[in-house]
Amino acid sequence: MIFSNPAFIRRRGRMTKAQLGALGRLDQFLMDPAVDAKAVFNRRAPTAIEIGFGMGQALVHFAGCHPEWNCIGVDVYRPGIGSLILQCEAQNVGNVRIVEADAVSVLERLEDNSIELMMVFFPDPWPKKRHHKRRLITRTFGKLATRKLKVGGLIRLATDWVPYAETIDEALKDNPGLQGGVSERWSFRPETKFEERARRLRHHVQDFCYTKVG
Ligand SMILES: C[S@@+](CC[C@H](N)C(=O)[O-])C[C@H]1O[C@@H](n2cnc3c(N)ncnc32)[C@H](O)[C@@H]1O
Protein backbone atom coordinates (compact mmCIF):
# COMPACT_ATOMS: atom_id res chain seq x y z
CA MET A 1 0.00 0.00 0.00
CA ILE A 2 2.87 2.39 0.65
CA PHE A 3 3.30 3.13 -3.03
CA SER A 4 -0.14 4.71 -3.20
CA ASN A 5 1.23 7.82 -1.50
CA PRO A 6 2.81 10.20 -4.02
CA ALA A 7 4.78 11.81 -1.17
CA PHE A 8 6.69 8.60 -0.66
CA ILE A 9 10.01 8.58 -2.46
CA ARG A 10 12.64 6.24 -1.06
CA ARG A 11 15.96 8.03 -1.17
CA ARG A 12 19.42 6.57 -1.08
CA GLY A 13 22.33 8.49 0.34
CA ARG A 14 25.95 8.06 1.14
CA MET A 15 26.43 6.34 4.43
CA THR A 16 29.32 6.48 6.88
CA LYS A 17 30.79 3.27 8.25
CA ALA A 18 29.39 4.12 11.68
CA GLN A 19 25.88 4.64 10.27
CA LEU A 20 26.11 1.34 8.41
CA GLY A 21 27.26 -0.40 11.61
CA ALA A 22 24.38 1.20 13.53
CA LEU A 23 21.87 -0.16 11.00
CA GLY A 24 23.03 -3.60 12.11
CA ARG A 25 21.46 -2.77 15.48
CA LEU A 26 18.23 -1.38 13.98
CA ASP A 27 16.23 -4.34 15.29
CA GLN A 28 16.63 -3.02 18.84
CA PHE A 29 14.92 0.22 17.78
CA LEU A 30 12.33 -0.95 15.26
CA MET A 31 8.67 -0.89 16.14
CA ASP A 32 5.48 -1.93 14.41
CA PRO A 33 3.11 1.07 14.45
CA ALA A 34 0.12 -1.25 14.64
CA VAL A 35 1.27 -2.59 18.02
CA ASP A 36 0.12 -0.73 21.12
CA ALA A 37 2.82 1.72 22.30
CA LYS A 38 2.48 0.36 25.84
CA ALA A 39 3.73 -3.02 24.62
CA VAL A 40 6.50 -1.46 22.51
CA PHE A 41 7.90 0.83 25.24
CA ASN A 42 6.86 -1.32 28.16
CA ARG A 43 5.04 1.60 29.75
CA ARG A 44 2.14 3.95 29.21
CA ALA A 45 3.47 7.47 28.58
CA PRO A 46 2.78 10.52 26.43
CA THR A 47 3.76 9.80 22.85
CA ALA A 48 5.60 12.03 20.38
CA ILE A 49 6.13 11.17 16.73
CA GLU A 50 8.44 12.88 14.29
CA ILE A 51 7.70 12.37 10.63
CA GLY A 52 10.70 12.69 8.34
CA PHE A 53 13.32 12.97 11.09
CA GLY A 54 16.18 13.29 8.59
CA MET A 55 19.42 12.83 10.56
CA GLY A 56 17.45 12.58 13.80
CA GLN A 57 18.70 15.63 15.71
CA ALA A 58 15.28 17.02 16.65
CA LEU A 59 13.92 13.68 17.82
CA VAL A 60 16.94 12.76 19.91
CA HIS A 61 16.96 16.24 21.43
CA PHE A 62 13.27 16.07 22.33
CA ALA A 63 13.56 12.51 23.64
CA GLY A 64 16.66 13.33 25.70
CA CYS A 65 14.90 16.33 27.28
CA HIS A 66 11.71 14.30 27.88
CA PRO A 67 12.72 10.85 29.20
CA GLU A 68 9.14 10.45 30.47
CA TRP A 69 7.79 10.46 26.89
CA ASN A 70 7.68 7.63 24.32
CA CYS A 71 9.18 8.93 21.08
CA ILE A 72 8.67 7.48 17.60
CA GLY A 73 10.67 8.47 14.53
CA VAL A 74 9.44 7.78 11.00
CA ASP A 75 11.69 8.03 7.97
CA VAL A 76 13.02 6.01 5.08
CA TYR A 77 16.41 7.68 4.73
CA ARG A 78 18.86 4.97 5.78
CA PRO A 79 21.90 7.17 6.61
CA GLY A 80 19.55 9.22 8.82
CA ILE A 81 18.23 6.10 10.54
CA GLY A 82 21.83 5.07 11.25
CA SER A 83 22.57 8.56 12.53
CA LEU A 84 19.56 8.53 14.87
CA ILE A 85 20.64 5.18 16.34
CA LEU A 86 24.18 6.48 16.88
CA GLN A 87 22.94 9.61 18.66
CA CYS A 88 20.57 7.62 20.89
CA GLU A 89 23.44 5.32 21.85
CA ALA A 90 25.98 8.14 22.38
CA GLN A 91 23.56 10.18 24.49
CA ASN A 92 22.09 7.20 26.30
CA VAL A 93 18.59 8.04 25.11
CA GLY A 94 16.42 4.97 25.58
CA ASN A 95 12.93 6.22 24.75
CA VAL A 96 13.15 6.29 20.93
CA ARG A 97 11.75 3.73 18.50
CA ILE A 98 11.97 3.83 14.74
CA VAL A 99 9.58 2.99 11.94
CA GLU A 100 11.24 2.69 8.55
CA ALA A 101 8.27 3.23 6.27
CA ASP A 102 6.19 5.81 4.47
CA ALA A 103 4.69 8.33 6.88
CA VAL A 104 1.13 8.04 5.61
CA SER A 105 1.10 4.25 5.86
CA VAL A 106 2.51 4.54 9.39
CA LEU A 107 -0.12 7.04 10.49
CA GLU A 108 -2.85 4.88 9.01
CA ARG A 109 -1.71 1.97 11.17
CA LEU A 110 -1.33 3.90 14.42
CA GLU A 111 -4.14 3.81 16.93
CA ASP A 112 -6.52 6.80 16.72
CA ASN A 113 -6.32 9.39 19.54
CA SER A 114 -2.95 8.08 20.68
CA ILE A 115 -0.44 10.88 19.99
CA GLU A 116 0.30 13.93 22.15
CA LEU A 117 2.81 15.57 19.82
CA MET A 118 3.44 15.24 16.10
CA MET A 119 6.44 16.97 14.50
CA VAL A 120 7.11 17.59 10.81
CA PHE A 121 10.13 19.81 10.25
CA PHE A 122 11.31 20.89 6.82
CA PRO A 123 9.23 18.43 4.81
CA ASP A 124 10.56 18.12 1.26
CA PRO A 125 9.28 21.28 -0.47
CA TRP A 126 9.01 19.85 -4.02
CA PRO A 127 9.22 23.33 -5.55
CA LYS A 128 8.39 22.34 -9.14
CA LYS A 129 4.68 22.54 -9.91
CA ARG A 130 4.60 19.09 -11.48
CA HIS A 131 5.98 17.69 -8.20
CA HIS A 132 3.49 19.41 -5.87
CA LYS A 133 1.50 16.18 -5.68
CA ARG A 134 4.47 14.69 -3.83
CA ARG A 135 4.15 17.13 -0.94
CA LEU A 136 3.42 15.40 2.32
CA ILE A 137 1.19 18.05 3.89
CA THR A 138 -2.23 18.05 2.29
CA ARG A 139 -5.78 18.32 3.59
CA THR A 140 -5.95 14.51 3.58
CA PHE A 141 -2.75 14.29 5.61
CA GLY A 142 -4.17 16.92 8.00
CA LYS A 143 -7.33 14.87 8.55
CA LEU A 144 -5.33 11.69 9.14
CA ALA A 145 -2.93 13.43 11.53
CA THR A 146 -5.85 14.95 13.46
CA ARG A 147 -7.44 11.54 13.87
CA LYS A 148 -4.23 10.20 15.42
CA LEU A 149 -3.80 13.07 17.89
CA LYS A 150 -5.35 13.04 21.32
CA VAL A 151 -7.60 16.00 22.11
CA GLY A 152 -5.21 18.72 23.30
CA GLY A 153 -2.37 17.14 21.31
CA LEU A 154 -0.18 19.30 19.09
CA ILE A 155 1.13 19.19 15.59
CA ARG A 156 4.24 21.31 15.05
CA LEU A 157 5.67 22.02 11.63
CA ALA A 158 8.37 24.20 10.11
CA THR A 159 9.37 25.07 6.57
CA ASP A 160 11.65 27.57 4.89
CA TRP A 161 9.80 27.44 1.56
CA VAL A 162 7.20 30.21 1.43
CA PRO A 163 4.93 28.48 -1.11
CA TYR A 164 4.96 25.36 1.06
CA ALA A 165 4.12 27.46 4.11
CA GLU A 166 1.06 28.63 2.16
CA THR A 167 0.23 25.00 1.33
CA ILE A 168 0.50 24.03 5.02
CA ASP A 169 -1.76 26.92 6.01
CA GLU A 170 -4.28 26.02 3.28
CA ALA A 171 -4.22 22.33 4.22
CA LEU A 172 -4.76 22.82 7.94
CA LYS A 173 -6.64 26.08 8.49
CA ASP A 174 -10.12 24.80 7.62
CA ASN A 175 -9.68 21.56 9.51
CA PRO A 176 -12.48 21.66 12.13
CA GLY A 177 -10.45 19.43 14.45
CA LEU A 178 -7.50 21.82 14.66
CA GLN A 179 -6.91 25.27 16.05
CA GLY A 180 -3.76 27.26 15.47
CA GLY A 181 -1.54 28.50 12.68
CA VAL A 182 1.79 30.26 12.39
CA SER A 183 3.78 30.29 15.60
CA GLU A 184 7.03 31.38 17.15
CA ARG A 185 10.09 29.22 16.56
CA TRP A 186 9.76 26.24 18.87
CA SER A 187 12.56 26.19 21.41
CA PHE A 188 12.91 22.38 21.29
CA ARG A 189 13.57 22.40 17.55
CA PRO A 190 17.36 22.32 17.10
CA GLU A 191 18.90 23.86 14.02
CA THR A 192 19.55 21.21 11.36
CA LYS A 193 21.37 21.63 8.06
CA PHE A 194 18.06 22.56 6.43
CA GLU A 195 17.57 25.56 8.69
CA GLU A 196 21.24 26.48 8.44
CA ARG A 197 20.93 26.45 4.64
CA ALA A 198 17.75 28.51 4.87
CA ARG A 199 19.57 31.11 6.95
CA ARG A 200 22.41 31.20 4.43
CA LEU A 201 19.95 31.72 1.59
CA ARG A 202 18.01 34.28 3.65
CA HIS A 203 14.86 32.17 3.48
CA HIS A 204 12.28 32.91 6.12
CA VAL A 205 11.70 29.89 8.36
CA GLN A 206 8.09 29.63 9.46
CA ASP A 207 6.92 27.47 12.33
CA PHE A 208 3.30 26.34 12.74
CA CYS A 209 1.53 24.90 15.74
CA TYR A 210 -1.99 23.42 15.85
CA THR A 211 -3.91 21.91 18.73
CA LYS A 212 -6.50 19.19 18.33
CA VAL A 213 -9.77 20.43 19.72
CA GLY A 214 -12.51 18.14 20.97
C1 LIG B 1 14.08 17.78 3.92
S1 LIG B 1 14.31 16.43 5.00
C2 LIG B 1 14.11 17.17 6.62
C3 LIG B 1 14.71 16.34 7.71
C4 LIG B 1 14.55 16.86 9.14
N1 LIG B 1 13.15 16.94 9.53
C5 LIG B 1 15.24 18.16 9.36
O1 LIG B 1 14.57 19.17 9.63
O2 LIG B 1 16.47 18.19 9.29
C6 LIG B 1 12.81 15.51 4.80
C7 LIG B 1 12.87 14.11 5.40
O3 LIG B 1 11.58 13.53 5.29
C8 LIG B 1 11.71 12.19 4.86
N2 LIG B 1 10.47 11.85 4.15
C9 LIG B 1 9.96 12.48 3.06
N3 LIG B 1 8.81 11.92 2.69
C10 LIG B 1 8.57 10.90 3.56
C11 LIG B 1 7.52 9.96 3.70
N4 LIG B 1 6.48 9.95 2.88
N5 LIG B 1 7.61 9.07 4.71
C12 LIG B 1 8.67 9.07 5.56
N6 LIG B 1 9.68 9.96 5.48
C13 LIG B 1 9.64 10.86 4.50
C14 LIG B 1 12.94 12.19 3.97
O4 LIG B 1 13.51 10.90 3.85
C15 LIG B 1 13.83 13.18 4.69
O5 LIG B 1 14.65 12.55 5.64
Side-chain angles (χ1 to χ4, degrees), residues 136-155:
L136 182 65
I137 311 300
T138 60
R139 278 171 205 267
T140 309
F141 176 91
K143 282 184 200 149
L144 179 61
T146 306
R147 227 170 66 216
K148 301 300 155 176
L149 285 173
K150 281 191 176 163
V151 172
L154 301 178
I155 175 162

Side-chain angles (χ1 to χ4, degrees), residues 2 5-11 50-58 74-78 80-81 99-106 119-126 134-136 141 158 160 189-195:
I2 58 177
N5 173 16
F8 177 68
I9 310 280
R10 192 179 285 278
R11 219 185 272 129
E50 184 178 8
I51 290 170
F53 58 74
M55 300 309 277
Q57 299 100 317
V74 182
D75 208 309
V76 289
Y77 181 57
R78 299 221 97 201
I81 294 171
V99 189
E100 183 185 7
D102 163 53
V104 171
S105 73
V106 173
M119 300 172 271
V120 191
F121 300 140
F122 299 91
D124 294 313
W126 297 111
R134 294 183 180 173
R135 287 180 174 167
L136 182 65
F141 176 91
D160 69 317
R189 185 169 65 71
E191 184 174 293
T192 66
K193 68 171 183 188
F194 293 98
E195 185 160 22

Side-chain angles (χ1 to χ4, degrees), residues 3 23 38 42 52 56 61 82 89 93 115-116 124 135 174 181:
F3 299 109
L23 286 174
K38 181 168 184 270
N42 225 358
H61 179 63
E89 290 171 344
V93 169
I115 302 291
E116 270 84 0
D124 294 313
R135 287 180 174 167
D174 296 332

